[in-house]
């Protein structure tokens, strides 16, 4: 029995020696993993989250497109604003009339659409808005279209984040006030204004545009590049 016990002790000693390197390696790996996590966390604190590349068309591409097709784009905006539909017809019928479909193609424009705000006469006059209240000055498309802010969506409307961020061109029927990087919208009868941020460039990461908002870059007094982001 003594020899058997001795053999068991030798086997147990050998197994114990084999386990020690495994436990040591496991301990080293654990320490390295913890250190790696701490290093990454420290770097994020110091540098912020990873920068995301903006894959939208650069401002300059949209601006170049505008100037290359300006006459046709302005004609589309003119037709949108001046069209008065006959009784029972929709304002959208304007895009089907005459050579307008060909004009869209020639201008490299996908569609025009109304966006806020609406610029009534004397847009910054509180007295004018209070006089307009209840008078139906913009009743129906025939009266309202000429006061609309219009977005011009190019055919090559590349998107980012699965269409939650996008760019287009914008025409405003008046030259809006811009002060300290803020576009001041028209006043309403309660004396309230809308406000939109204006930047020298929109070639940046979408996080610079807050969710459910738009930012602008002015090309000319009434023309802008716009970048918007949805709630998601």
């Amino acid at each position: 029995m003594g020899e058997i016990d001795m053999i068991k002790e030798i086997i147990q000693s050998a197994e114990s020696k084999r386990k020690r390197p495994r436990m040591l390696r496991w301990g080293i790996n654990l320490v390295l993993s913890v250190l790696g996590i701490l290093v990454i966390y420290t770097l994020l604190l110091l540098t912020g989250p990873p920068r995301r590349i903006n894959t939208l068309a650069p401002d300059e591409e949209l601006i170049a497109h505008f100037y290359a097709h300006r006459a046709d784009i302005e004609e589309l905006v003119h037709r949108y604003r001046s069209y008065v539909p006959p009784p029972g017809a929709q304002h959208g019928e304007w895009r089907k009339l005459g050579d307008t479909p060909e004009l869209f193609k020639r201008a490299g424009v996908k569609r025009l659409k109304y966006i806020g705000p609406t610029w009534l006469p004397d847009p910054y006059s509180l007295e004018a808005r209070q006089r307009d209240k209840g008078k139906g000055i913009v009743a129906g498309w025939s009266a309202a279209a000429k006061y609309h802010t219009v977005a011009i969506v190019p055919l090559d409307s590349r998107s980012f984040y699965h269409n939650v961020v996008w760019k287009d061109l914008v025409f405003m029927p008046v030259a809006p006030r811009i002060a300290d990087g803020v576009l001041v919208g028209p006043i309403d009868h309660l004396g309230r204004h809308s406000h939109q941020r204006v930047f020298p460039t929109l070639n940046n990461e979408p996080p610079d545009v807050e969710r459910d908002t738009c930012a602008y870059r002015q090309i000319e007094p009434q023309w802008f590049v716009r970048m918007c982001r949805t709630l998601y």
Side-chain angles (χ1 to χ4, degrees):
M1 292 296 294
E3 292 180 356
I4 293 175
D5 291 338
M6 186 179 298
I7 292 172
K8 288 182 178 179
E9 289 179 2
I10 293 172
I11 293 173
Q12 290 174 354
S13 177
E15 290 178 348
S16 177
K17 290 179 180 179
R18 285 199 301 270
K19 290 179 180 179
R20 287 174 187 171
R22 288 201 299 266
M23 294 179 65
L24 181 61
R25 287 196 298 271
W26 182 85
I28 292 173
N29 290 335
L30 178 62
V31 171
L32 291 176
S33 298
V34 172
L35 288 175
I37 293 172
L38 290 175
V39 169
I40 293 172
Y41 181 73
T42 302
L43 289 174
L44 287 175
L45 288 177
L46 294 175
T47 63
R51 294 176 66 84
R52 286 170 283 186
I53 298 174
N54 187 346
T55 59
L56 290 167
D59 299 349
E60 291 72 21
E61 184 174 321
L62 285 174
I63 294 170
H65 179 86
F66 167 69
Y67 284 116
H69 301 85
R70 180 168 189 162
D72 291 331
I73 291 173
E74 288 184 333
E75 177 61 21
L76 285 173
V77 172
H78 170 72
R79 294 185 187 188
Y80 171 94
R81 299 180 66 221
S82 61
Y83 177 66
V84 179
Q90 299 294 321
H91 183 269
E93 294 297 315
W94 74 273
R95 63 175 63 94
K96 304 175 185 178
L97 300 177
D99 67 341
T100 304
E102 289 74 24
L103 185 60
F104 270 98
K105 295 177 182 178
R106 194 164 65 242
V109 171
K110 188 175 183 179
R111 64 180 180 273
L112 269 64
K113 61 181 181 180
Y114 162 70
I115 60 173
T118 297
W119 299 84
L120 298 177
D122 299 321
Y124 294 109
S125 168
L126 178 58
E127 292 77 14
R129 294 294 74 75
Q130 290 174 340
R131 288 197 306 269
D132 296 338
K133 184 181 178 182
K135 293 183 179 179
I137 190 172
V138 293
W141 277 95
S142 60
K146 62 182 178 181
Y147 301 124
H148 284 173
T149 302
V150 182
I152 299 95
V153 181
L155 280 174
D156 183 19
S157 54
R158 286 176 287 175
S159 59
F160 185 62
Y161 275 12
H162 304 290
N163 294 323
V164 302
V165 179
W166 70 91
K167 281 183 183 178
D168 50 25
L169 294 167
V170 168
F171 170 81
M172 297 187 184
V174 302
R177 293 177 183 172
I178 298 175
D180 299 324
V182 175
L183 190 157
V184 182
I187 198 169
D188 66 14
H189 68 279
L190 296 177
R192 299 172 299 189
H193 296 272
S194 62
H195 297 88
Q196 302 285 354
R197 293 187 299 167
V198 179
F199 294 103
T201 179
L202 297 175
N203 296 331
N204 50 19
E205 292 75 37
D208 285 348
V209 177
E210 298 175 1
R211 288 182 173 87
D212 200 29
T213 62
C214 296
Y216 290 80
R217 172 179 174 175
Q218 191 172 34
I219 305 173
E220 293 186 4
Q222 293 175 253
W223 288 94
F224 297 82
V225 173
R226 180 181 71 145
M227 183 164 72
C228 298
R229 185 179 184 185
T230 69
L231 282 170
Y232 302 100

